[in-house]
Amino acid sequence: AQSVTQPDIHITVSEGASLELRCNYSYGATPYLFWYVQSPGQGLQLLLKYFSGDTLVQGIKGFEAEFKRSQSSFNLRKPSVHWSDAAEYFCAVGAGGTASKLTFGTGTRLQVTL
Amino acid sequence: SAVISQKPSRDICQRGTSLTIQCQVDSQVTMMFWYRQQPGQSLTLIATANQGSEATYESGFVIDKFPISRPNLTFSTLTVSNMSPEDSSIYLCSTPEGDTQYFGPGTRLTVL
């Protein structure tokens, strides 16, 4: 069965600083990988996804993520964080290599200081 | 992209009662899912809502506790039965469209 690990429960960065959120997955084949963001009181919004091809994927709001098969990782990055980026970030893997049933990591709460 | 709405957006219920959550998609979809997000936790898949047949439940979830209906290709309901404070969570429905899973805004349930 697939699994996702987000080792950082809580991260605090200063506005304007760079950000990297870690995600490690366990899946037997090429995974379908996703990053979602959940702002307070909001639903889940898809930031970006990876299925195949270029291992560096661009998403919305200036986020990018890099798929590294050798490390089973799919870390999320942003070069300059804005205060509005404060939210909960979830990494997820699709079961059976699809976007259907998703297994989520435990999430990383991002706090941005001014 | 699929637009999903849920009703109610939030509710406060007494233990022992039941609550039915509605999920409406703006287009016909084959698959619909229900997830639970307990306070401070990640999302856990409850079940797949199948149109015209019984829902498929994940390990740890049973039909008696979380009965699901899927009367057509745009609508589903999840009932949380005989509630206890441990059922206090956000319940979300979702559907895949192409290679992306879209989520409803969630229903925040508090059980007293």
Side-chain angles (χ1 to χ4, degrees):
Chain A
Q2 67 275 5
S3 65
V4 178
T5 301
Q6 293 181 247
D8 303 306
I9 297 173
H10 188 196
I11 284 181
T12 300
V13 300
S14 300
E15 188 175 41
S18 63
L19 171 70
E20 183 169 30
L21 303 182
R22 296 183 290 167
C23 172
N24 292 97
Y25 68 91
S26 174
Y27 186 69
T30 299
Y32 278 37
L33 293 163
F34 306 84
W35 275 100
Y36 284 88
V37 60
Q38 185 178 43
S39 300
Q42 303 295 311
L44 284 167
Q45 182 179 23
L46 179 68
L47 286 176
L48 47 75
K49 59 194 175 188
Y50 171 79
F51 304 138
S52 64
D54 193 346
T55 56
L56 183 64
V57 294
Q58 303 296 320
I60 63 171
K61 302 185 179 186
F63 286 93
E64 67 177 27
E66 186 171 13
F67 171 64
K68 293 185 177 180
R69 184 187 299 277
S70 62
Q71 299 177 20
S72 297
S73 69
F74 188 56
N75 294 347
L76 182 71
R77 300 194 294 249
K78 186 169 185 178
S80 178
V81 170
H82 188 262
W83 64 266
S84 61
D85 292 324
E88 187 91 22
Y89 291 80
F90 292 97
C91 182
V93 61
T98 72
S100 293
K101 296 200 291 187
L102 299 181
T103 297
F104 284 82
T106 51
T108 297
R109 179 164 298 279
L110 173 65
Q111 183 177 355
V112 180
T113 58
L114 302 177
Chain B
S1 63
V3 177
I4 305 173
S5 58
Q6 290 184 232
K7 290 181 181 179
S9 59
R10 59 178 62 227
D11 206 342
I12 300 173
C13 301
Q14 297 297 318
R15 69 172 66 210
T17 63
S18 297
L19 175 72
T20 296
I21 302 167
Q22 300 177 7
C23 177
Q24 179 76 53
V25 186
D26 68 341
S27 59
Q28 292 186 336
V29 296
T30 304
M31 304 180 78
M32 294 178 74
F33 301 96
W34 287 97
Y35 286 83
R36 179 177 73 181
Q37 185 179 21
Q38 293 177 297
Q41 304 295 315
S42 185
L43 285 82
T44 302
L45 181 64
I46 298 172
T48 302
N50 303 307
Q51 198 273 325
S53 64
E54 203 167 89
T56 305
Y57 290 83
E58 299 298 308
S59 176
F61 297 95
V62 295
I63 187 171
D64 290 345
K65 177 66 176 177
F66 298 102
I68 288 171
S69 77
R70 179 87 192 273
N72 57 53
L73 292 175
T74 66
F75 187 77
S76 177
T77 67
L78 169 75
T79 298
V80 186
S81 303
N82 188 25
M83 289 184 284
S84 67
E86 292 69 37
D87 295 319
S88 297
S89 298
I90 299 173
Y91 293 86
L92 302 99
C93 66
S94 71
T95 186
E97 183 177 279
D99 56 15
T100 299
Q101 185 87 214
Y102 292 96
F103 287 84
T107 295
R108 182 179 294 273
L109 171 62
T110 302
V111 183
L112 303 177

